[in-house]
Amino acid sequence: MEFLLINHPLDCPICDQGGECDLQDQAMGYGIDHSRYAENKRAVKDKDFGPLIKTIMTRCIHCTRCVRFATEVAGVPELGATGRGENTEIGTYVQHALTSELSGNMIDLCPVGALTSRPYAFAARPWELTKTESVDVLDAVGSNIRVDARGPEVLRILPRLNEDVNEEWISDKARFACDGLRRQRLDRPYLRRDGKLQAASWDEAFQAIAEAANGVASASMAAIAGDLADCESMLALKDLMTALGSANIDCRQDGAKLDARVRSSYLFNSTIAGIEQADAVVLVGCNPRLEAPVLNARIRKRWVAGNFTVGVIGPEADLTYPTTLVGTSAKDLEVIAAGKGHFAKILKNAKKAMIIVGQGALKGEDGAAVLNLARQAADKLGMIKAGWNGFNVLHTAAARVGGLDLGFVPGEGGLDVAGILSGAQSSAINMVYLLCADEIDTQALGDAFVIYQGHHGDAGAHRADVILPGAAYTEKNATYVNTEGRVQLGRRAIFPPGEAREDWTIIRALSAVLGQTLPYDDLKAVRAKLVEANANFLKINQTTPAEWGSFGTEGAISDVPFASPVCNFYMTDPISRASETMAHCIETFGKGDERKTGTDG
């Protein structure tokens, strides 16, 4: 302990690590109350690791945990030690910010206060915070997190250990975008009067919706669920639209041709932990480094273990492990599905091969045909066998699997998102309900009456005629289903701001005004209805193997190259778009930067 503390400064009163510092704990347990070291302590210049990590390198004890994490786990070997003996320093070899989407995990790994969170600096002490266990919704992995709040503010988000999902890591967006929860919030209902949105009461907002709905045919009503919607609110909205007689509902904002009838067609069937059992994988139209950094780290972990081949059909990118470019479009997938070519042989000879289909491959006109080809490839190349299903869909939206499980897709004769938008332009659709839906082309809504329910003043709110303020994921007890079909519970850490309310309660209150009162009054009753709709909602934090079936449709395919749906990792949703920290990341890792950071969108 004396050797460790020889050069370590006495910063504890002003150090952000104070109260949760490994060195402090060890010194308390094994140290003595005085020092025999009388010489001058050394000082080290701080390094610039970018907008997320604050460095005070004088505190560094050269444990090299950050170096090993960057090299082994993140796969971005940018950190190392220079100098010898007392002159040893940890830093980037060339002065620049760390370019990993997982860099924030180094803060947790650092046993002293050398690396701390820059956005959280001097914000609070750990004993002041209320800690709530929840799940992240900014991608579809469903990383387990702990939300640390003080009063009405979320001050930081930390990972929670779950070996089956995210191990002990979370992405930088999940960790640092929480400051977006405070900005651009919708905290009261709004009504558009004389072309301008003006504050209104809940009664006025509901009354305006009731008046607009009066005289609108049920076939002219539509609802779209967004990427951050929880299962309870999607269930309530589906029940309301069914009661109103409309089948025009969809949860696939990006137009992905996913088949809600066969559960195995839209799940990551191998499970995230199952990646470690695979011995070959082909990535189709996805960039897991940007779409799901934690899942990408699991693929890298499998590659590090050896005897693992990764093929790519789609955009070529630095995924932090070597890949083989098999092709760029659906035409190349067709070759693999026919069992032809060198990579098809590798997959056929593998004991446990995987195919991972991204949303970039499914959202085109030929999405259903691509899904069909991927299924054929899985069948033909022996990926489906007893105890192993190698067919996987990688989602980017936390709400997508839950929505498909609930059947939040067009009913008989109903319109999907593309149909709703074109219907709004041709005046066939006169009323559209957007539940946290911001990723659609809001200009295409024409003259339709738009109700927007959400928590941020994003694209949907700008177009809305009525705004109903909802709760963000840290402000409600809600259910989410991740990309592998694992049902997880998010828990309320703080209350919604102002007059905002939990989402399902808003829809329940609106249903009474519209004369179609929904049959549940509390969360317990809503969750009972969830289980009634799909028995999988009973199995919390479990994955259930889905029955394999036939899905996708035969059809013409194009030779247009696949593209990842995420071109800007740091801003993909209303919360991260409102985050000042994420904006700083864009400045640092923005367009024209020579280093590959995935933010060239």
Side-chain angles (χ1 to χ4, degrees):
M1 281 312 303
E2 275 191 287
F3 278 132
L4 277 178
L5 295 171
I6 275 175
N7 283 310
H8 195 77
L10 189 60
D11 277 354
C12 300
I14 54 129
C15 177
D16 266 324
Q17 201 86 344
E20 38 191 21
C21 171
D22 293 353
L23 188 64
Q24 240 180 15
D25 295 342
Q26 296 293 327
M28 189 75 184
Y30 304 106
I32 51 177
D33 62 355
H34 63 275
S35 173
R36 294 179 290 175
Y37 186 75
E39 285 74 20
N40 290 330
K41 287 179 180 277
R42 74 171 199 153
V44 179
K45 191 179 176 185
D46 292 343
K47 307 292 189 292
D48 181 10
F49 282 5
L52 303 178
I53 299 176
K54 181 182 177 186
T55 61
I56 301 94
M57 299 312 288
T58 300
R59 299 173 187 161
C60 179
I61 59 168
H62 307 134
C63 68
T64 70
R65 284 187 190 179
C66 55
V67 177
R68 283 178 288 152
F69 173 83
T71 307
E72 295 167 25
V73 179
V76 182
E78 297 174 339
L79 276 180
T82 54
R84 299 182 69 183
E86 194 184 45
N87 297 318
T88 303
E89 292 186 23
I90 302 289
T92 50
Y93 299 111
V94 182
Q95 282 294 313
H96 67 73
L98 296 173
T99 61
S100 169
E101 293 77 16
L102 296 164
S103 64
N105 293 295
M106 294 178 199
I107 295 165
D108 300 332
L109 290 172
C110 186
V112 294
L115 306 179
T116 55
S117 169
R118 194 180 286 277
Y120 175 70
F122 308 126
R125 287 297 197 184
W127 52 85
E128 297 177 273
L129 303 172
T130 306
K131 301 165 180 69
T132 310
E133 296 189 344
S134 190
V135 290
D136 171 55
V137 301
L138 302 187
D139 61 27
V141 173
S143 298
N144 286 216
I145 57 172
R146 192 185 86 195
V147 181
D148 286 1
R150 184 178 60 189
E153 259 185 288
V154 172
L155 292 181
R156 68 173 179 180
I157 285 175
L158 298 176
R160 211 157 36 96
L161 181 69
N162 187 329
E163 293 290 358
D164 293 331
V165 183
N166 57 307
E167 298 179 291
E168 60 264 62
W169 319 123
I170 54 172
S171 73
D172 288 350
K173 185 166 52 181
R175 183 187 296 267
F176 293 111
C178 60
D179 64 325
L181 291 164
R182 299 194 288 274
R183 295 182 174 85
Q184 297 179 19
R185 288 303 303 268
L186 300 172
D187 59 357
R188 67 187 68 181
Y190 286 88
L191 269 177
R192 193 174 291 279
R193 297 184 179 115
D194 304 321
K196 287 186 178 177
L197 285 168
Q198 296 176 7
S201 68
W202 279 104
D203 287 341
E204 286 172 331
F206 285 161
Q207 208 53 49
I209 295 169
E211 285 170 17
N214 192 18
V216 173
S218 56
S220 297
M221 296 179 178
I224 301 171
D227 293 352
L228 304 183
D230 58 276
C231 294
E232 286 85 354
S233 60
M234 285 190 285
L235 172 82
L237 183 55
K238 186 190 175 195
D239 286 352
L240 177 60
M241 295 305 288
T242 304
L244 292 169
S246 174
N248 306 321
I249 59 172
D250 204 352
C251 65
R252 302 163 299 186
Q253 274 190 112
D254 54 7
K257 307 294 188 291
L258 293 157
D259 191 341
R261 294 166 303 172
V262 183
R263 194 165 192 253
S264 57
S265 74
Y266 58 82
L267 290 188
F268 201 94
N269 293 289
S270 304
T271 72
I272 295 169
I275 291 170
E276 295 181 32
Q277 298 173 36
D279 43 9
V281 64
V282 59
L283 307 173
V284 181
C286 65
N287 180 336
R289 182 174 175 182
L290 303 187
E291 295 168 35
V294 172
L295 185 141
N296 192 59
R298 188 82 76 146
I299 298 175
R300 177 179 163 77
K301 180 182 180 183
R302 175 64 191 88
W303 172 78
V304 168
N307 297 322
F308 186 63
T309 314
V310 183
V312 172
I313 300 177
E316 197 172 9
D318 175 12
L319 298 179
T320 71
Y321 41 83
T323 58
T324 304
L325 186 64
V326 181
T328 58
S329 69
K331 295 284 186 190
D332 302 292
L333 177 60
E334 192 173 34
V335 173
I336 290 235
K340 296 173 185 171
H342 174 63
F343 207 83
K345 283 181 188 166
I346 293 174
L347 293 170
K348 198 169 180 66
N349 295 334
K351 288 178 184 169
K352 290 187 173 179
M354 289 170 64
I355 183 169
I356 300 178
V357 186
Q359 302 305 295
L362 300 175
K363 66 180 187 179
E365 294 282 317
D366 57 350
V370 171
L371 189 66
N372 180 55
L373 284 175
R375 177 184 59 77
Q376 285 179 16
D379 278 329
K380 184 139 189 149
L381 302 175
M383 297 183 195
I384 315 298
K385 55 185 82 169
W388 179 256
N389 185 335
F391 179 86
N392 302 293
V393 174
L394 178 59
H395 291 277
T396 53
R400 189 67 50 83
V401 176
L404 293 168
D405 277 352
L406 289 169
F408 202 98
V409 290
E412 198 175 326
L415 301 171
D416 61 5
V417 167
I420 291 167
L421 295 180
S422 62
Q425 286 181 309
S426 66
S427 299
I429 296 291
N430 298 318
M431 180 180 255
V432 182
Y433 199 118
L434 302 179
L435 177 62
C436 304
D438 295 282
E439 316 305 323
I440 58 169
D441 178 11
T442 52
Q443 299 305 312
L445 289 167
D447 296 326
F449 185 85
V450 178
I451 304 149
Y452 177 78
Q453 180 178 329
H455 39 76
H456 277 76
D458 210 70
H462 286 289
R463 171 57 189 84
D465 294 295
V466 177
I467 294 175
L468 306 176
Y473 72 105
T474 52
E475 299 157 4
K476 57 189 173 186
N477 293 308
T479 306
Y480 299 94
V481 189
N482 78 347
T483 192
E484 56 180 351
R486 186 184 299 272
V487 178
Q488 300 190 107
L489 300 179
R491 294 185 175 84
R492 184 174 61 212
I494 56 175
F495 286 93
E499 293 178 47
R501 295 290 179 266
E502 290 193 24
D503 290 286
W504 76 265
T505 62
I506 296 172
I507 298 165
R508 166 64 182 79
L510 176 61
S511 70
V513 177
L514 295 175
Q516 303 289 351
T517 307
L518 296 175
Y520 29 78
D521 295 321
D522 56 26
L523 188 61
K524 191 176 175 185
V526 180
R527 288 190 169 159
K529 196 83 166 52
L530 275 179
V531 175
E532 201 180 299
N534 192 324
N536 289 305
F537 285 102
L538 201 56
K539 299 162 187 167
I540 305 298
N541 204 29
Q542 297 173 35
T543 54
T544 312
E547 197 175 312
W548 187 247
S550 180
F551 52 85
T553 54
E554 294 279 351
I557 54 169
S558 78
D559 55 1
V560 176
F562 293 139
S564 169
V566 177
C567 55
N568 180 347
F569 165 72
Y570 294 102
M571 288 190 179
T572 53
D573 54 84
I575 297 171
S576 56
R577 283 194 286 268
S579 165
E580 193 178 335
T581 306
M582 295 295 101
H584 289 318
C585 288
I586 300 290
E587 284 173 27
T588 307
F589 308 120
K591 286 182 188 175
D593 199 316
E594 289 300 311
R595 298 183 303 281
K596 175 64 187 167
T597 63
T599 55
D600 42 46

